Amino acid sequence: MTDHNTERTHGAAEPGRIPDSGKGVGLYKSRIIGTGSHLPEKLLTNADLEKMVDTSDAWITERTGIRYRHLAAEGQATSDLAFVAATRALEAAGLEAADLDMILFCTVTPDQPMPSAACMLQKKLGARQVMSFDLSAACSGFVYGLTVANQFIRTGMSKNILVVGAEILHRLVNYKDRETCILFGDGAGAVILSRAEPGQSSGILAEHMFADGNLGDLIMLPAGGSAIPFSQRVLDENLQYVRMKGREIFKNAVRTMVQGCQDAIGTAGLDIGEIDWLIPHQANIRILEAVAKYLGIPNEKVVVNIGDTGNTSAATLPIALDEAVRDGRIRRGQNVLLTAFGAGLTSGSVMLRY
């Protein structure tokens, strides 16, 4: 593997480098060269939930589009799910773990507070002693992570970066709260973001990330941090579980994702008609349909798998992307728009040419 830390001359553009614009050294382009995903075998169906909480299959399907969710097995950690997805992404890219220059792990459910899930994954993969860290942006985690990784490649700091989105959310869900327990599942997705070679048109074209901490109380996990450390009170008051305000989330999710998509499309110099695929965060079928409608993107161009996965937070986008790549829907040269929102409230969109 080429030593990317060696000194370079900056006269002619180097392979994969965006030409110098006169304002400084040109930047490299980054492209996705491999994808992978993993869903645990155990399923939690709507029929199962009917026995646990006051709900019904028809009610859940109509309001969320979810039929079942995958649950990690007892003893499985988030990094275990990520290991499978990462291994598949490396295989698809034709790389080994030793080729990685960075591991960026997007999650709100790491194995433990420290060390990071990224370091746990680094060990399991047998990767080199490269920069490895977790990124916490909830359901927006993957687009945030892709944006951060893109900057390291564009500036020449890294050549191959593993970006993972993985969660085990069912352990943070109160199965007596029908507003949350019907939504969340477990899973992992991963991509290898790599420096583009000469003549390759694919790459990240634009990204727009946002956050509004004023709306942080719409989705939250109250306990487990420095503000409310674990105690008997936490267990008595169920503060260890996810809490959300569904109606307000819906309104803000649609607004922020539409705005982010419009900004990313405009920055990339494209119009709606040139978008081949929209992959929105798989949170709720009504949110997905509303975003597509406001953007003017037909349903046949929207990648939807929420019925089979539920909301897997930072893992939804890389899982959906991997599925669409592997089944042949997404092909090289197509314009793909990723968009998400999550607790924080965070939101972001990435426009890329696959």
Side-chain angles (χ1 to χ4, degrees):
M1 186 171 129
T2 303
D3 182 0
H4 53 271
N5 291 319
T6 55
E7 184 177 357
R8 300 185 177 95
T9 57
H10 304 302
E14 297 176 51
R17 186 182 284 275
I18 300 171
D20 193 332
S21 63
K23 298 180 180 179
V25 178
L27 299 174
Y28 289 102
K29 288 174 58 180
S30 62
R31 67 194 295 258
I32 294 173
I33 65 168
T35 65
S37 63
H38 175 60
L39 292 166
E41 292 183 9
K42 183 179 179 180
L43 298 179
L44 179 68
T45 68
N46 290 346
D48 294 328
L49 287 168
E50 286 178 339
K51 303 171 185 176
M52 302 164 65
V53 70
D54 181 18
T55 190
S56 69
D57 173 60
W59 190 90
I60 296 171
T61 303
E62 178 186 350
R63 285 162 176 77
T64 70
I66 301 170
R67 296 186 299 272
Y68 55 82
R69 317 114 194 94
H70 296 254
L71 304 186
E74 184 177 353
Q76 264 189 323
T78 303
S79 66
D80 294 324
L81 305 186
F83 172 78
V84 181
T87 299
R88 290 173 177 169
L90 285 166
E91 290 174 351
L95 298 179
E96 303 289 338
D99 296 318
L100 296 174
D101 301 314
M102 182 186 298
I103 297 173
L104 204 167
F105 201 127
C106 309
T107 186
V108 292
T109 56
D111 298 18
Q112 55 202 52
M114 61 178 180
S116 69
C119 289
M120 306 293 279
L121 179 59
Q122 179 193 42
K123 175 183 177 181
K124 292 174 181 179
L125 289 171
R128 296 181 295 118
Q129 295 178 1
V130 297
M131 182 177 180
S132 302
F133 66 99
D134 290 358
L135 187 154
S136 177
C139 302
S140 304
F142 183 73
V143 286
Y144 267 54
L146 206 58
T147 298
V148 171
N150 184 40
Q151 309 314 311
F152 277 90
I153 290 177
R154 281 171 58 83
T155 57
M157 289 288 291
S158 303
K159 184 177 181 181
N160 299 307
I161 300 178
L162 169 63
V163 183
V164 177
E167 306 282 10
I168 295 182
L169 285 165
H170 88 269
R171 293 173 187 156
L172 304 181
V173 170
N174 182 354
Y175 283 96
K176 295 181 180 179
D177 176 10
R178 75 171 187 171
E179 186 172 9
T180 57
C181 73
I182 64 174
L183 297 175
F184 298 106
D186 308 335
V191 303
I192 306 297
L193 195 67
S194 186
R195 185 185 304 168
E197 298 298 331
Q200 294 175 333
S201 62
S202 60
I204 292 179
L205 306 179
E207 65 265 285
H208 282 263
M209 303 297 125
F210 306 89
D212 185 354
N214 292 312
L215 299 174
D217 65 340
L218 297 189
I219 317 175
M220 61 187 304
L221 182 66
S226 60
I228 307 178
F230 280 115
S231 65
Q232 186 59 49
R233 175 201 161 209
V234 168
L235 299 177
D236 292 341
E237 299 180 16
N238 288 326
L239 300 177
Q240 73 274 28
Y241 295 129
V242 172
R243 296 184 176 186
M244 56 184 288
K245 301 177 182 178
R247 187 168 298 177
E248 291 88 346
I249 290 169
F250 183 99
K251 178 178 64 176
N252 284 283
V254 174
R255 175 182 57 81
T256 58
M257 287 201 290
V258 168
Q259 183 62 59
C261 286
Q262 291 172 335
D263 289 346
I265 293 169
T267 300
L270 301 174
D271 59 46
I272 291 295
E274 295 176 281
I275 306 304
D276 295 296
W277 294 103
L278 169 67
I279 307 181
H281 167 50
Q282 308 291 305
N284 178 304
I285 191 63
R286 292 181 172 182
I287 293 176
L288 274 63
E289 291 173 347
V291 170
K293 179 180 179 180
Y294 275 106
L295 290 172
I297 295 177
N299 290 334
E300 57 267 24
K301 289 187 174 184
V302 184
V303 177
V304 178
N305 67 352
I306 188 172
D308 303 329
T309 64
N311 182 347
T312 57
S313 187
T316 69
L317 290 181
I319 291 172
L321 174 63
D322 179 55
E323 290 180 359
V325 168
R326 290 178 183 266
D327 67 22
R329 278 176 290 171
I330 293 180
R331 302 185 300 276
R332 284 296 177 194
Q334 291 185 326
N335 295 320
V336 180
L337 179 59
L338 308 175
T339 187
F341 78 98
L345 286 178
T346 59
S347 60
S349 299
V350 173
M351 185 74 245
L352 62 88
R353 182 164 294 126
Y354 184 71

